[in-house]
Amino acid sequence: MSAYHTAANTVRTTRILSVKTESPTVKTFTVKDKLCAKAEPGQFLMLWIPSVDEIPLSVLNAADGKASVAVKAVGEATQALHSLKNGDIIGVRGPFGNSFTKRHGKILLVAGGTGTAPLLFLAKRLARKAERLTFVTGAKTQSELLFLNELNAVCTEQSAVAATEDGSYGLKCLATEPLERLLTKAKFDMVYTCGPELMVRKVFELTEKRGVPLEASLERLMRCSIGLCGSCVIGKYRVCRDGPVFNAAQLREVKDELGMSKLGFDGSRIPI
Ligand SMILES: Cc1cc2nc3c(=O)[nH]c(=O)nc-3n(C[C@H](O)[C@H](O)[C@H](O)COP(=O)(O)OP(=O)(O)OC[C@H]3O[C@@H](n4cnc5c(N)ncnc54)[C@H](O)[C@@H]3O)c2cc1C
Ligand code: FES
């Protein structure tokens, strides 16, 4: 069967079951969908906002016939989605892409912005078996730090390490600063990261320096989400089909583009 004719790639119309405000710019939307309810951490879905656009979003939670996504309002589609309410109709395709591999030793997760969503989903799935689970989360300011209570609940020895750029909560720095200290102090079996690509690149450089295994979830412009249109390429990979989760060996292959450039909507290369 081609990637096109699959159950996952068929648009299902469904209704919004709940909307929760997480921060001044982020809302969590929960929809009823049997297929996306089986998504694994790292996978994404395509949400169709009627008459506006269809956009890729990482799954935040999946269980009991329902799937949730945390969405930051950044442009036309996400702002239109933010104006929708319980009971409104939307379309769903997915779940798409690969997922994080589940390691159970000493685990370190590093998230920035809405990149916290897939890593919280992963942390919840790892929490019971992980030997140690440490979460570093970063945002521009306190009100944009996402899911702090949930993150504190999944960490094993201490609360999550929070960093804000303006110092309004936690450490006044980028999330990569506490990461560097943690990597120097202790040995980790696996680092997982998701967030702004400049942060992902820095996490990659730090873990490479110390030879720590890494998995990173990447974002690129996406249209088809099934490996056909080419809008999500990075190096020899299509992020929608070969990712969005990439390991250190794959990131090494694309390091000339990682945090450097990507394709824009018109196909031209744009700096990140
Ligand atoms: C695999 C994946 C997972 C994602 N998960 C989340 C998530 O969990 N929460 C969240 O808030 N956002 C997530 N995004 C980003 C989200 O898809 C974009 O913010 C959204 O598409 C913007 O649409 P817009 O019309 O509101 O903004 P636009 O006005 O179209 O653009 C605003 C910004 O968003 C970027 N963008 C626009 N369209 C896309 C697209 N189709 N794919 C990727 N980036 C785009 C543009 O580079 C631009 O900088 C994810 C993207 C990918 C690829
Ligand atoms: S979005 Fe079309 S190939 Fe990835």
Short mmCIF file of all heavy atoms in Angstrom, two decimals, residues 44 46 220-233 238-241, ligand 2:
data_model
loop_
_atom_site.label_atom_id
_atom_site.label_comp_id
_atom_site.label_asym_id
_atom_site.label_seq_id
_atom_site.Cartn_x
_atom_site.Cartn_y
_atom_site.Cartn_z
N PHE A 44 3.73 12.97 15.34
CA PHE A 44 2.94 14.18 15.17
C PHE A 44 1.67 13.87 14.39
O PHE A 44 1.54 12.81 13.77
CB PHE A 44 3.75 15.28 14.46
CG PHE A 44 4.12 14.97 13.03
CD1 PHE A 44 3.36 15.45 11.97
CD2 PHE A 44 5.23 14.18 12.73
CE1 PHE A 44 3.69 15.17 10.66
CE2 PHE A 44 5.57 13.89 11.41
CZ PHE A 44 4.80 14.38 10.37
N MET A 46 -1.50 15.88 11.80
CA MET A 46 -1.81 17.05 10.98
C MET A 46 -3.22 17.49 11.35
O MET A 46 -4.16 16.69 11.26
CB MET A 46 -1.74 16.72 9.48
CG MET A 46 -0.36 16.33 8.98
SD MET A 46 0.89 17.64 9.06
CE MET A 46 0.39 18.76 7.76
N ARG A 220 10.40 21.03 10.45
CA ARG A 220 10.62 21.65 9.15
C ARG A 220 9.23 22.01 8.61
O ARG A 220 8.23 21.53 9.14
CB ARG A 220 11.28 20.66 8.17
CG ARG A 220 12.80 20.54 8.34
CD ARG A 220 13.49 21.82 7.91
NE ARG A 220 14.94 21.83 8.07
CZ ARG A 220 15.58 22.15 9.19
NH1 ARG A 220 14.90 22.42 10.28
NH2 ARG A 220 16.89 22.20 9.24
N LEU A 221 9.16 22.83 7.57
CA LEU A 221 7.86 23.09 6.96
C LEU A 221 7.31 21.77 6.45
O LEU A 221 8.04 20.99 5.85
CB LEU A 221 8.00 24.08 5.80
CG LEU A 221 8.39 25.49 6.20
CD1 LEU A 221 8.42 26.38 4.96
CD2 LEU A 221 7.41 26.07 7.22
N MET A 222 6.04 21.54 6.70
CA MET A 222 5.45 20.28 6.25
C MET A 222 4.15 20.53 5.52
O MET A 222 3.37 21.38 5.93
CB MET A 222 5.19 19.37 7.46
CG MET A 222 6.46 18.74 7.97
SD MET A 222 6.12 17.60 9.30
CE MET A 222 7.80 17.27 9.82
N ARG A 223 3.97 19.78 4.46
CA ARG A 223 2.73 19.87 3.69
C ARG A 223 2.05 18.51 3.64
O ARG A 223 0.97 18.32 4.17
CB ARG A 223 3.04 20.38 2.27
CG ARG A 223 3.22 21.86 2.23
CD ARG A 223 1.90 22.57 2.51
NE ARG A 223 2.04 23.99 2.79
CZ ARG A 223 1.42 24.61 3.80
NH1 ARG A 223 0.66 23.96 4.64
NH2 ARG A 223 1.56 25.90 3.98
N CYS A 224 2.72 17.53 2.97
CA CYS A 224 2.05 16.24 2.78
C CYS A 224 2.13 15.36 4.02
O CYS A 224 1.24 14.59 4.29
CB CYS A 224 2.65 15.51 1.58
SG CYS A 224 4.33 14.90 1.88
N SER A 225 3.23 15.44 4.74
CA SER A 225 3.51 14.67 5.97
C SER A 225 3.75 13.18 5.74
O SER A 225 3.86 12.42 6.69
CB SER A 225 2.39 14.86 7.01
OG SER A 225 1.24 14.17 6.61
N ILE A 226 3.84 12.78 4.46
CA ILE A 226 4.05 11.34 4.18
C ILE A 226 5.22 11.10 3.22
O ILE A 226 5.26 10.09 2.53
CB ILE A 226 2.75 10.70 3.62
CG1 ILE A 226 2.21 11.50 2.44
CG2 ILE A 226 1.71 10.54 4.72
CD1 ILE A 226 1.08 10.81 1.69
N GLY A 227 6.16 12.05 3.15
CA GLY A 227 7.38 11.81 2.39
C GLY A 227 7.28 12.08 0.90
O GLY A 227 8.18 11.68 0.15
N LEU A 228 6.23 12.76 0.42
CA LEU A 228 6.05 12.95 -1.02
C LEU A 228 6.48 14.32 -1.54
O LEU A 228 7.10 14.40 -2.60
CB LEU A 228 4.57 12.73 -1.40
CG LEU A 228 3.99 11.34 -1.13
CD1 LEU A 228 2.52 11.30 -1.49
CD2 LEU A 228 4.76 10.28 -1.90
N CYS A 229 6.20 15.39 -0.81
CA CYS A 229 6.35 16.73 -1.41
C CYS A 229 7.76 17.30 -1.30
O CYS A 229 8.14 18.17 -2.07
CB CYS A 229 5.34 17.70 -0.79
SG CYS A 229 5.74 18.18 0.92
N GLY A 230 8.54 16.86 -0.34
CA GLY A 230 9.93 17.32 -0.20
C GLY A 230 10.10 18.62 0.56
O GLY A 230 11.22 19.11 0.69
N SER A 231 9.03 19.20 1.09
CA SER A 231 9.18 20.51 1.74
C SER A 231 9.90 20.41 3.08
O SER A 231 10.36 21.41 3.62
CB SER A 231 7.83 21.21 1.91
OG SER A 231 6.96 20.41 2.65
N CYS A 232 10.01 19.21 3.64
CA CYS A 232 10.59 19.07 4.99
C CYS A 232 12.00 18.52 4.98
O CYS A 232 12.47 18.04 6.01
CB CYS A 232 9.69 18.17 5.82
SG CYS A 232 9.68 16.47 5.21
N VAL A 233 12.70 18.59 3.82
CA VAL A 233 14.02 17.93 3.75
C VAL A 233 15.05 18.56 4.67
O VAL A 233 15.09 19.77 4.86
CB VAL A 233 14.61 17.91 2.31
CG1 VAL A 233 13.90 16.94 1.42
CG2 VAL A 233 14.68 19.30 1.74
N ARG A 238 13.84 13.20 4.93
CA ARG A 238 12.56 13.92 4.96
C ARG A 238 12.07 13.82 6.40
O ARG A 238 11.84 12.70 6.89
CB ARG A 238 11.57 13.30 3.99
CG ARG A 238 12.11 13.46 2.58
CD ARG A 238 11.19 13.13 1.47
NE ARG A 238 11.91 13.53 0.25
CZ ARG A 238 11.35 13.84 -0.90
NH1 ARG A 238 10.06 13.79 -1.03
NH2 ARG A 238 12.10 14.21 -1.93
N VAL A 239 11.93 14.97 7.05
CA VAL A 239 11.66 14.96 8.49
C VAL A 239 10.34 14.26 8.80
O VAL A 239 10.23 13.55 9.79
CB VAL A 239 11.68 16.41 9.06
CG1 VAL A 239 11.26 16.44 10.53
CG2 VAL A 239 13.09 17.00 8.93
N CYS A 240 9.34 14.41 7.92
CA CYS A 240 8.02 13.81 8.21
C CYS A 240 8.07 12.28 8.15
O CYS A 240 7.37 11.62 8.90
CB CYS A 240 6.98 14.34 7.24
SG CYS A 240 7.20 13.80 5.53
N ARG A 241 8.90 11.73 7.26
CA ARG A 241 8.92 10.28 7.04
C ARG A 241 10.08 9.61 7.79
O ARG A 241 9.89 8.56 8.41
CB ARG A 241 9.07 10.01 5.53
CG ARG A 241 9.07 8.55 5.13
CD ARG A 241 9.58 8.39 3.71
NE ARG A 241 10.97 8.87 3.58
CZ ARG A 241 11.57 9.14 2.43
NH1 ARG A 241 10.91 9.00 1.30
NH2 ARG A 241 12.83 9.56 2.40
S1 FES B 2 6.05 17.15 4.34
FE1 FES B 2 6.04 16.41 2.33
S2 FES B 2 7.85 15.20 2.23
FE2 FES B 2 7.70 15.78 4.33
#
